[in-house]
Amino acid sequence: MMRSYRWALALVVLIAAPACTASTSDPPGREVSASGRTSTGLWTPTSSTDGDLTRLGLYGGPIEGGGSASIAAISSSGRFVTSIRPDTGTSGPLLTGTTQMGWWIPGEEPAMIPAPKPPGASQLVAADAYDDAVIWRETRSTNLEAEDWRILAQSPSGGPAAQVIASYDDYYGADVVPMFNDDRHPLALVEDRAYWSIRDWPTDAPTAPEQRGGLYPERPTYRILTAPVDGSEKTSQVAQGAYGPARAGDRLIYIADDRLTSGRTYGTPRIVETDGSRLRTLYRFDALTASTRITMTCGTSTYIAWAATRNGKDEINILPRDEMHPRRIPLRSAGGSTEISCGDRFIAWGRGSGRGDATLYLYDIASQKKTELGATRAYGRVRAQGDTLAYPKKTDGSRPGRWVVATWRP
């Protein structure tokens, strides 16, 4: 459904990530050492104010010894999740090492998180954080048709080291090759539970050994799965024919699309909210055609937002919870590549991996004012949480970019 985006993302990763002809990672079961990844010089304070936007400084970029650091998520606790990708300066078809994750506070060195090593070099797919817990999704796959996903979590209840709380092989319990998941927002942390989407055939699920009525037998679908961050329960299914899990306040929201289970080219997508026991439809779309799709959503306790593409043109819709009709923002990006991120009082977005408008934007919910954050030649995305945001600084493309860390306080 959104294959073009993830194909482009995977190509970006393969081009940008150094590689070699054989994996050089340690055997599985050993923990990543944090000592080799606390390089200095990652943070440069550069405070400046532009209206309601205050730029605090720059983070990341190339690190001593090779590799690069970036911001993967922002927590409600005010801490940042940093990802450090190794670099050996070699070339070849495979990745050379596993992306390492850590906590970071401006002015301090990153505190890397010890984690079980995968059977082979793995790349980060997505990360999310809430309070003092962090989750991330990684894969060893560089195959654009399959994704051998693992979900890792680190939280106070689980101790200082991360643990694998779910994986494709544990979930399927059989020789099933998971399909490449082209969901633009495939992971969310809500309270003490991780949620993630997968893409497979309906008959692949452990609880569905036979074809069930109403499922289209020749069309893959999306599922949303969940597990607690402390690993105390097995993986369970939240929804089928659904994708784009995101946190909105203390609840989960996601996109449910009838077309994913009916096999038809038209249907009625919905944005659904759940507290774990009850489902509520927040917004029901008019019947959509094959040329229209909802690509991702985000939200808070006061509003929800979603990105969509209609006849090749991207748009963003914002729906405050006390209003009846969404506000529509047409964009200059195309192809359904736009990525959105929600702060408490604003929504921010970039073009993702697509072409078109390279500018990153912020829209204030109360004033309905749109602000340009800057342009980037790299992947166009913004991380947001509360009144804090981070976005890539424009570079000439010759070296890993740094991230602008800022606050928005009207």
Side-chain angles (χ1 to χ4, degrees), residues 278-300:
R278 293 181 299 175
L279 297 178
R280 175 190 173 202
T281 296
L282 296 179
Y283 190 78
R284 184 184 299 273
F285 300 87
D286 294 334
L288 302 180
T289 64
S291 63
T292 303
R293 68 178 183 269
I294 314 303
T295 53
M296 68 182 298
T297 185
C298 66
T300 69

Side-chain angles (χ1 to χ4, degrees), residues 79-100:
R79 294 195 292 171
F80 296 79
V81 178
T82 181
S83 61
I84 296 183
R85 188 179 63 202
D87 181 3
T88 62
T90 59
S91 61
L94 298 179
L95 301 177
T96 59
T98 295
T99 301
Q100 294 181 277

